Amino acid sequence: MKGIKVFLMCTLFLLTLAGCGGTSNGTTESAANTQKENSSTTSNQNEGTSSTTNTEDEKKFDLQGATIKIGQWWDGADPRDVPEEERSIGVEESIKKLEEVEAKYNTKIEYVTFADYGKYVENFTTTSLAGEPFADIVVLELFWAFPQLAKKGFIAPLDDYLDLSDPKYNAWMKSGGSFNGKQYGFYDGVPSPYGFFYNKTMVEEMGLEDPFELQQKGEWTWEKFRELAKRATKDTNGDGKIDVYGIAGAYGKVNYMGEQFIYSNKGSVDRDESGEMKFSMDSKNSIEALQFLSDLYNVDKSIMQPVPDDAAKEFVAGKGLMYGGFNWEMGGLMEKMPGKTLGYVFFPKAPQADDYMSFTPFGNMYMVSKYSKNAEAAAHILDEISLFGRGEEIALQSLEEKMPTKDIFETRKLMRQKIDYSGGYYALPDSGKLFESVIDAIIKDKASPATAVEKVKPQFEASLNKLLQDSK
């Protein structure tokens, strides 16, 4: 998990974002405008500093000058800190909302940073138990929040304060930010989706069916994907060795690819069919997905072998037709592939799936501290400083301007509505290593998926049971 710390720090971005920004290593899709929605929350048991009056339309709060703090682990979260000459439309509208809400609630909204990512949760829980959480509204990784912080009562269910039946709340917020039937996470944007990049120029040169066109017809399936990958895997110079593969690899090597196949086939690593936390990599759907991965690598040999450390580099060099990756990688790939046309599509539709979906193991959202002295007011403030539909308009306009082709824009537009969370098991100690050991057993040792999964099951279940026990 330490190796992806920088990436995790930047997965939170908002609909107001107009561009593809990035951290020092370019790992975020649009982080420049990442700061919008914040607020604070209090436990119903705590005395608050706010006074409230009810009207027919809404509950009003007078915080009597109290500060509502919004906490995160990076600097520059406040849109008001963006220099005027650099402000996008989204930033300007976010600033306007902040000012309006501060006046309406008689409050000051302050963004506070606790920069030690590794001790962020410890700081939040310690300060909360001391009666003064470092922030009223905190950005939390979903695998931090669920199940531990939710079950231990450190974060407040937003259902207690807001009418979440309103269609303005997007599907990603509701799927990624809910736990045990309650809504904790707040977010009016979406994380960077994970899909397949492909070299459209090579597709044309090889006389292959275009993945985007297949996707548009609903025919981008495992069967078509496998056929395309096999046909693109070739010995082009006649030396008896394959030098072009159907699949160069993926960001996260084959691990993330395997995870996408599992979840897109309605399988899971840590959830049963009812949504309860339970080891489920041995489920029928999960095993079917792992077998598909095994067939691609061991039977068809259409995934580059051995698996490259930097699959993006091999893709750029023309050694693979397709590459699995996050959308934020697009700019870097395009820059290194002059004269080539890039395509981007969902992972292929799996046998058990009803539709195309993209899954992310990462995601963080705004959550209200249950120990805040102004929890209810904070929830409403968070709601009122968010752009929702207007933010969606800005985001889509930005995508249309920045995506290199209309095909990619159409895919990205659809992905905004079809993204779900797959990273719950990341809360388990050594979960990444355990999952990787399953993939390694299948790829390197040619083990059957069932055998590979059975080997890690006892340790995985013990870790999961401990997490559930510690969360009580």
Side-chain angles (χ1 to χ4, degrees):
M1 298 303 297
K2 292 181 180 178
I4 55 174
K5 173 180 174 181
V6 177
F7 175 72
L8 288 170
M9 289 171 63
C10 302
T11 53
L12 184 68
F13 60 92
L14 305 176
L15 286 171
T16 57
L17 262 132
C20 293
T23 61
S24 58
N25 63 357
T27 54
T28 183
E29 181 175 47
S30 23
N33 196 338
T34 216
Q35 28 285 6
K36 273 183 1 189
E37 340 150 79
N38 312 12
S39 190
S40 96
T41 101
T42 54
S43 164
N44 294 336
Q45 303 169 359
N46 295 340
E47 288 187 14
T49 59
S50 61
S51 59
T52 65
T53 58
N54 291 314
T55 68
E56 292 182 2
D57 299 319
E58 63 178 6
K59 185 175 288 186
K60 292 187 177 180
F61 298 84
D62 180 358
L63 296 182
Q64 301 173 20
T67 297
I68 294 297
K69 296 181 179 180
I70 301 170
Q72 61 285 316
W73 55 85
W74 63 88
D75 292 324
D78 193 334
R80 294 167 294 194
D81 292 338
V82 177
E84 288 190 23
E85 65 274 12
E86 298 177 16
R87 291 176 181 176
S88 65
I89 295 175
V91 170
E92 292 284 3
E93 295 195 15
S94 293
I95 292 172
K96 182 179 179 182
K97 278 185 170 286
L98 284 169
E99 293 173 346
E100 290 173 349
V101 169
E102 283 185 329
K104 176 180 177 180
Y105 286 74
N106 188 15
T107 186
K108 177 176 175 56
I109 297 172
E110 178 185 354
Y111 290 80
V112 295
T113 301
F114 184 82
D116 191 336
Y117 180 86
K119 294 183 178 180
Y120 187 86
V121 173
E122 179 184 347
N123 177 63
F124 172 56
T125 56
T126 300
T127 56
S128 294
L129 291 173
E132 290 290 341
F134 89 98
D136 302 285
I137 299 166
V138 287
V139 176
L140 292 171
E141 301 287 7
L142 297 180
F143 52 78
W144 288 342
F146 312 134
Q148 287 187 307
L149 296 180
K151 282 197 168 186
K152 289 185 175 182
F154 283 99
I155 49 180
L158 297 176
D159 320 58
D160 293 350
Y161 310 128
L162 304 173
D163 178 11
L164 297 176
S165 64
D166 193 312
K168 70 181 181 181
Y169 302 112
N170 67 32
W172 162 245
M173 170 180 155
K174 290 191 173 183
S175 63
S178 63
F179 179 75
N180 279 358
K182 301 293 287 184
Q183 185 73 37
Y184 294 90
F186 189 103
Y187 196 46
D188 70 350
V190 293
S192 186
Y194 196 93
F196 267 114
F197 292 97
Y198 66 97
N199 188 325
K200 203 176 185 75
T201 303
M202 285 179 65
V203 166
E204 294 173 355
E205 292 172 349
M206 291 181 174
L208 303 173
E209 292 183 272
D210 189 283
F212 176 76
E213 294 176 7
L214 290 169
Q215 176 180 281
Q216 293 301 92
K217 294 186 292 185
E219 297 175 6
W220 181 233
T221 61
W222 276 11
E223 183 180 0
K224 283 288 188 179
F225 170 80
R226 186 175 182 181
E227 176 188 339
L228 187 73
K230 286 170 67 175
R231 289 185 60 190
T233 302
K234 296 181 177 182
D235 168 18
T236 61
N237 59 13
D239 65 355
K241 297 179 181 179
I242 296 173
D243 45 45
V244 174
Y245 291 84
I247 308 162
Y251 182 95
K253 295 189 176 180
V254 187
N255 299 348
Y256 285 10
M257 191 189 303
E259 188 177 83
Q260 290 288 325
F261 283 136
I262 288 174
Y263 281 87
S264 64
N265 197 43
K266 291 192 173 179
S268 179
V269 175
D270 64 346
R271 292 286 192 281
D272 62 18
E273 293 181 358
S274 68
E276 291 297 316
M277 291 194 76
K278 179 183 177 182
F279 179 77
S280 55
M281 217 186 324
D282 57 353
S283 68
K284 178 182 177 182
N285 291 0
S286 297
I287 293 295
E288 183 179 27
L290 291 172
Q291 185 61 57
F292 182 63
L293 179 67
S294 176
D295 290 343
L296 291 171
Y297 191 88
N298 296 315
V299 178
D300 303 343
K301 302 188 185 303
S302 58
I303 299 176
M304 181 172 280
Q305 305 185 11
V307 176
D309 290 330
D310 187 352
K313 180 180 179 180
E314 306 300 332
F315 175 69
V316 166
K319 295 181 181 179
L321 181 71
M322 294 179 282
Y323 164 74
F326 288 99
N327 183 254
W328 54 258
E329 299 177 76
M330 184 174 299
L333 294 175
M334 288 174 53
E335 187 177 323
K336 296 174 183 177
M337 298 174 69
K340 304 293 183 181
T341 303
L342 202 63
Y344 192 62
V345 289
F346 284 90
F347 263 61
K349 188 186 300 180
Q352 309 306 322
D354 303 318
D355 201 354
Y356 299 113
M357 288 293 294
S358 178
F359 294 86
T360 179
F362 309 117
N364 40 44
M365 296 188 182
Y366 292 96
M367 301 190 193
V368 172
S369 169
K370 202 167 184 179
Y371 286 80
S372 165
K373 294 180 174 63
N374 294 293
E376 185 174 8
H380 284 274
I381 289 173
L382 183 59
D383 192 52
E384 292 184 36
I385 62 176
S386 300
L387 297 186
F388 297 115
R390 175 57 179 153
E392 179 71 8
E393 291 176 14
I394 295 170
L396 289 176
Q397 180 181 352
S398 173
L399 280 175
E400 191 165 19
E401 292 172 353
K402 294 181 180 297
M403 292 300 100
T405 67
K406 184 178 180 181
D407 292 359
I408 294 178
F409 169 68
E410 291 299 327
T411 294
R412 283 291 287 108
K413 181 179 178 181
L414 191 60
M415 281 179 168
R416 297 186 70 83
Q417 307 302 322
K418 299 181 182 295
I419 191 163
D420 209 342
Y421 180 55
S422 62
Y425 72 95
Y426 282 31
L428 303 176
D430 296 324
S431 60
K433 291 181 180 179
L434 290 173
F435 187 85
E436 185 175 8
S437 70
V438 171
I439 301 299
D440 283 349
I442 293 170
I443 298 300
K444 296 178 180 179
D445 304 331
K446 316 303 180 191
S448 71
T451 299
V453 169
E454 190 64 29
K455 187 174 180 179
V456 304
K457 183 175 181 178
Q459 187 176 349
F460 223 115
E461 285 187 323
S463 183
L464 181 57
N465 290 336
K466 185 177 186 305
L467 175 68
L468 294 173
Q469 185 64 34
D470 291 347
S471 300
K472 292 182 178 179

